[in-house]
Amino acid sequence: MLATVIHDARDIRVENVPDPTLSTGGDAIVRVVAACVCGSDLWPYRGVVPTSEPHRIGHEFIGVVEAVGPDVTSVAAGDFVIAPFYVCDGTCVNCRNGVSTSCLHGGWWGSDDQVGGFADGGQGEYVRVPLADGTLAVVPGPVTEDEIPGLLTLSDVMGTGHHAAVSAGVQPGDSVAVVGDGAVGLCAIIAAKRLGATTIIAMSRHADRQALAREFGATHIVEERGDAGIEAVRALTGGIGADRVLECVGTKESMDQALRSARPGGMVGYVGVPNGGPELPVRTMFNRNVGVNGGVAPVRGYIDELLPDVRSGAIQPGKVFTLQLPLSEAAEAYAAMDERRAVKVLLRP
Amino acid sequence: MLATVIHDARDIRVENVPDPTLSTGGDAIVRVVAACVCGSDLWPYRGVVPTSEPHRIGHEFIGVVEAVGPDVTSVAAGDFVIAPFYVCDGTCVNCRNGVSTSCLHGGWWGSDDQVGGFADGGQGEYVRVPLADGTLAVVPGPVTEDEIPGLLTLSDVMGTGHHAAVSAGVQPGDSVAVVGDGAVGLCAIIAAKRLGATTIIAMSRHADRQALAREFGATHIVEERGDAGIEAVRALTGGIGADRVLECVGTKESMDQALRSARPGGMVGYVGVPNGGPELPVRTMFNRNVGVNGGVAPVRGYIDELLPDVRSGAIQPGKVFTLQLPLSEAAEAYAAMDERRAVKVLLRP
């Protein structure tokens, strides 16, 4: 089959790789209908995270189950499924606590599972899915073509934006500032509105993303950064800062922006993979009682809650895919995201 | 009148100072019935925080109102009152948001208020209280002698321990680990039990404090620190760590202990004034979805909730005062706390 392999910084290739096979009894083979490139895939693409040897890449996909192992009970051949960006059993104590990203038996796409099988990367024609019962979410009934982008966002970005909002404790009537106008930040705007926020401030400098932000529910746009950005947020929030701030970037600068944009007693929900700043300034947090909550988003557990709103069109996160390409053009997909020519790119095997 | 002045590290003196006078219309003069030494007073005492010139010290006191300015409406001469460890108006947006420590018009004992008057330190015979309506909490009815220690804890340590528990989101049935066996840590145990925690792990190495911890509700004691301490906490919590961890020290080591003692998806409530470690390790938090919430505790807002339980004896935080001394022996009070001969020292003017 064909699958995407990263060889080095800015060296993305679609290559022939071995077809996956069932091996553990609890696994499944999924034919990928759509996959995509994640902002976090850009870290190795840009060489920020070094690539020591070629490896599969991609962790967001939806598709149709081709075959299941004999122990699988909740997924069957022919089912349309959403895969979260990680593997989880759904039954361990961490999964039961709602933190399936810390599953005791889980793992990550493009690497070996805990019992010696290989879980393919998501940007390919097929994927072997370990722990299929816990990992895969079935989408009932016929799935139409125009549902594909929205469903694919439940694999990562919509659930991750929702996690930022949930972690920050967004309540009806809250003022919310969103730092980051990538796909996750835009989905965080959707999530904040969905949870009842009435003032939603998108911090964005790009006209195309500002337009999407407004379409998704942003009531205000702030283009400034640093002290000027903080002043602008305060001017929109009675002089004190936002009740909740959703940090969707992951740099030291973006976290500083988030912490200082929150009001005293406010909370920052953060989902940007920390990169470039290893530590948080505790005094900035302590003196003003600004909390920080979030992390790698347990999106598997959010699919059940968000799926009805995506299918009904009540929320339309699929609009973050501003470009669609065939899988064979994966390299161009990375380049388009790297150069910010696209918010997020959908790949079709 | 007599009041305590810090001249330099380990140089605490009780001196004659000017009697306070009403000046702003909204202020009050309180005759101090009892005051105490705070763990944070030990930072300047030990020279960790330098003392550039002699100044008043002490921020926890209770007493009887002697006189009020013409604008004061909720407090009257003769009232028994509790002062929180800071000044607040109770009406600004931050006070209304429950973060009275960030009061827009507030201030700190032992320094000038925002309109040019001086707010005396708490360790003295009298204190001029700015913004008396917002700052002072009246204790109704006659106050008996044996109520004094418990009421005094509402000035800081009981409310601060409660803030750690509230910030961590302690719920009925939770497992809670408490890092720190000072007065605040011990009060955090009381707070965790009061909020319904069923497993309460006190991290303590001192037999006298362990005994108090058990009396306050600790179900387990862990003496180990570092990796061994974390393993011990996990062994008591199904292998994953505590649902909530209350950090009541403020050093880099204690925060590391707290973050790593929490389970995936858990929350650290922290109230120890950060000292010795300016930053938090964000990757440790992000990868396991461990949040951090808390800060300088808005104890004024907690007095109404906690006062009935203190007066009824349902909780007995006054037991943290293991030594009582006359105000004239303030220097000995500091030494006793510094040398850990006392958990907390009550001073009687």
Side-chain angles (χ1 to χ4, degrees):
Chain A
M1 69 161 180
L2 293 173
T4 306
V5 178
I6 182 168
H7 283 254
D8 205 342
R10 299 182 194 281
D11 185 358
I12 297 286
R13 306 179 197 174
V14 178
E15 300 179 348
N16 272 303
V17 301
D19 288 340
T21 55
L22 295 172
S23 65
T24 55
D27 48 4
I29 305 295
V30 170
R31 175 173 60 80
V32 176
V33 170
C36 51
V37 181
C38 181
S40 66
D41 290 332
L42 296 181
W43 299 131
Y45 181 77
R46 291 170 175 163
V48 177
V49 174
T51 298
S52 56
E53 57 185 23
H55 62 83
R56 302 276 195 92
I57 190 165
H59 53 255
E60 299 164 65
F61 64 97
I62 56 178
V64 175
V65 176
E66 292 272 313
V68 299
D71 301 336
V72 175
T73 59
S74 62
V75 185
D79 283 346
F80 195 100
V81 291
I82 300 167
F85 63 85
Y86 55 90
V87 170
C88 59
D89 66 11
T91 57
C92 80
V93 61
N94 289 331
C95 285
R96 295 198 308 276
N97 280 335
V99 201
S100 51
T101 40
S102 292
C103 176
L104 297 176
H105 309 108
W108 309 96
W109 305 114
S111 62
D112 289 339
D113 66 22
Q114 291 194 25
V115 289
F118 180 70
D120 298 87
Q123 295 162 5
E125 291 185 299
Y126 294 90
V127 173
R128 176 185 164 268
V129 176
L131 303 171
D133 279 334
T135 303
L136 297 173
V138 174
V139 182
V143 172
T144 62
E145 178 62 25
D146 61 358
E147 286 189 283
I148 299 293
L151 295 176
L152 183 55
T153 66
L154 294 175
S155 178
D156 187 342
V157 289
M158 184 60 226
T160 296
H162 181 67
H163 188 55
V166 169
S167 298
V170 173
Q171 305 274 341
D174 274 350
S175 59
V176 174
V178 179
V179 178
D181 62 1
V184 172
L186 292 166
C187 287
I189 291 170
I190 295 174
K193 182 180 180 187
R194 184 177 170 278
L195 292 171
T198 45
T199 296
I200 302 177
I201 303 164
M203 306 196 79
S204 171
R205 287 171 168 166
H206 302 84
D208 56 334
R209 292 159 193 248
Q210 291 175 1
L212 259 181
R214 288 202 184 272
E215 189 174 344
F216 285 166
T219 56
H220 303 82
I221 305 286
V222 166
E223 294 201 347
E224 295 88 346
R225 292 287 178 280
D227 290 342
I230 289 153
E231 283 310 308
V233 170
R234 288 189 182 163
L236 295 168
T237 54
I240 55 170
D243 296 319
R244 316 288 161 191
V245 182
L246 313 186
E247 198 288 317
C248 304
V249 181
T251 64
K252 195 171 185 71
E253 293 72 25
S254 63
M255 184 55 95
D256 175 73
Q257 190 84 58
L259 290 171
R260 295 198 293 137
S261 295
R263 70 160 169 83
M267 179 72 88
V268 173
Y270 77 125
V271 292
V273 181
N275 187 292
E279 297 185 318
L280 296 178
V282 69
R283 263 290 182 182
T284 300
M285 298 162 57
F286 186 88
N287 289 356
R288 301 171 68 247
N289 273 278
V290 171
V292 170
N293 194 28
V296 55
V299 300
R300 176 63 185 87
Y302 295 138
I303 293 176
D304 287 350
E305 178 182 349
L306 297 173
L307 182 59
D309 283 2
V310 170
R311 299 203 84 179
S312 74
I315 60 176
Q316 303 191 318
K319 292 185 177 180
V320 299
F321 291 108
T322 56
L323 179 63
Q324 297 200 19
L325 292 171
L327 175 63
S328 58
E329 294 181 34
E332 164 59 12
Y334 278 76
M337 282 185 60
D338 177 46
E339 296 161 20
R340 295 181 79 90
R341 287 184 277 120
V343 176
K344 194 168 176 74
V345 185
L346 186 148
L347 292 171
R348 298 274 193 166
Chain B
M1 68 163 180
L2 292 174
T4 306
V5 177
I6 182 168
H7 284 253
D8 205 340
R10 299 181 193 283
D11 185 358
I12 298 284
R13 306 180 197 174
V14 177
E15 300 179 349
N16 272 303
V17 300
D19 287 341
T21 55
L22 295 171
S23 65
T24 57
D27 50 1
I29 305 296
V30 171
R31 174 175 58 80
V32 176
V33 171
C36 51
V37 181
C38 182
S40 66
D41 290 332
L42 297 181
W43 300 130
Y45 182 77
R46 290 169 176 164
V48 177
V49 173
T51 297
S52 55
E53 56 184 25
H55 61 83
R56 301 278 195 90
I57 191 166
H59 53 255
E60 300 163 67
F61 63 97
I62 56 178
V64 175
V65 176
E66 291 271 313
V68 299
D71 303 335
V72 174
T73 60
S74 63
V75 185
D79 283 345
F80 195 100
V81 291
I82 301 167
F85 63 84
Y86 55 91
V87 170
C88 58
D89 66 12
T91 58
C92 80
V93 61
N94 290 330
C95 285
R96 295 198 308 275
N97 281 334
V99 202
S100 51
T101 39
S102 292
C103 176
L104 296 176
H105 309 109
W108 309 96
W109 305 114
S111 62
D112 288 340
D113 65 23
Q114 291 194 24
V115 290
F118 180 70
D120 299 87
Q123 295 162 5
E125 291 183 301
Y126 295 90
V127 173
R128 175 184 164 269
V129 176
L131 301 172
D133 280 334
T135 303
L136 296 173
V138 175
V139 182
V143 171
T144 63
E145 179 62 25
D146 61 0
E147 287 188 283
I148 299 294
L151 295 176
L152 183 54
T153 66
L154 294 176
S155 177
D156 186 342
V157 288
M158 184 59 225
T160 295
H162 180 67
H163 188 55
V166 168
S167 298
V170 173
Q171 304 274 341
D174 274 350
S175 58
V176 174
V178 179
V179 178
D181 62 1
V184 172
L186 293 165
C187 287
I189 292 169
I190 295 174
K193 182 180 180 188
R194 183 177 170 279
L195 292 171
T198 45
T199 297
I200 302 176
I201 303 164
M203 305 197 77
S204 171
R205 287 171 167 165
H206 303 84
D208 56 335
R209 292 159 194 247
Q210 292 175 0
L212 259 182
R214 287 199 183 275
E215 188 174 345
F216 286 165
T219 55
H220 303 83
I221 304 285
V222 165
E223 295 200 347
E224 296 88 345
R225 290 289 178 278
D227 290 343
I230 288 154
E231 283 310 307
V233 170
R234 289 188 182 163
L236 294 168
T237 53
I240 55 170
D243 296 318
R244 317 287 161 190
V245 182
L246 312 186
E247 199 288 318
C248 304
V249 181
T251 64
K252 195 171 185 71
E253 292 72 25
S254 63
M255 183 55 93
D256 175 74
Q257 190 83 59
L259 289 171
R260 295 199 294 137
S261 295
R263 70 160 168 82
M267 181 71 89
V268 173
Y270 76 125
V271 292
V273 181
N275 188 294
E279 296 184 318
L280 297 177
V282 68
R283 263 290 183 181
T284 301
M285 298 163 57
F286 187 88
N287 290 355
R288 301 171 67 245
N289 274 279
V290 172
V292 170
N293 195 27
V296 55
V299 299
R300 175 63 185 87
Y302 295 138
I303 293 176
D304 287 350
E305 177 182 350
L306 297 172
L307 181 60
D309 283 1
V310 170
R311 298 203 85 178
S312 74
I315 60 175
Q316 303 191 320
K319 291 184 177 180
V320 298
F321 292 106
T322 57
L323 179 63
Q324 296 201 20
L325 292 172
L327 175 63
S328 59
E329 294 181 35
E332 164 59 12
Y334 278 76
M337 281 186 60
D338 177 47
E339 296 161 19
R340 296 182 77 92
R341 288 184 276 118
V343 175
K344 194 168 176 74
V345 185
L346 187 148
L347 292 170
R348 298 276 194 164

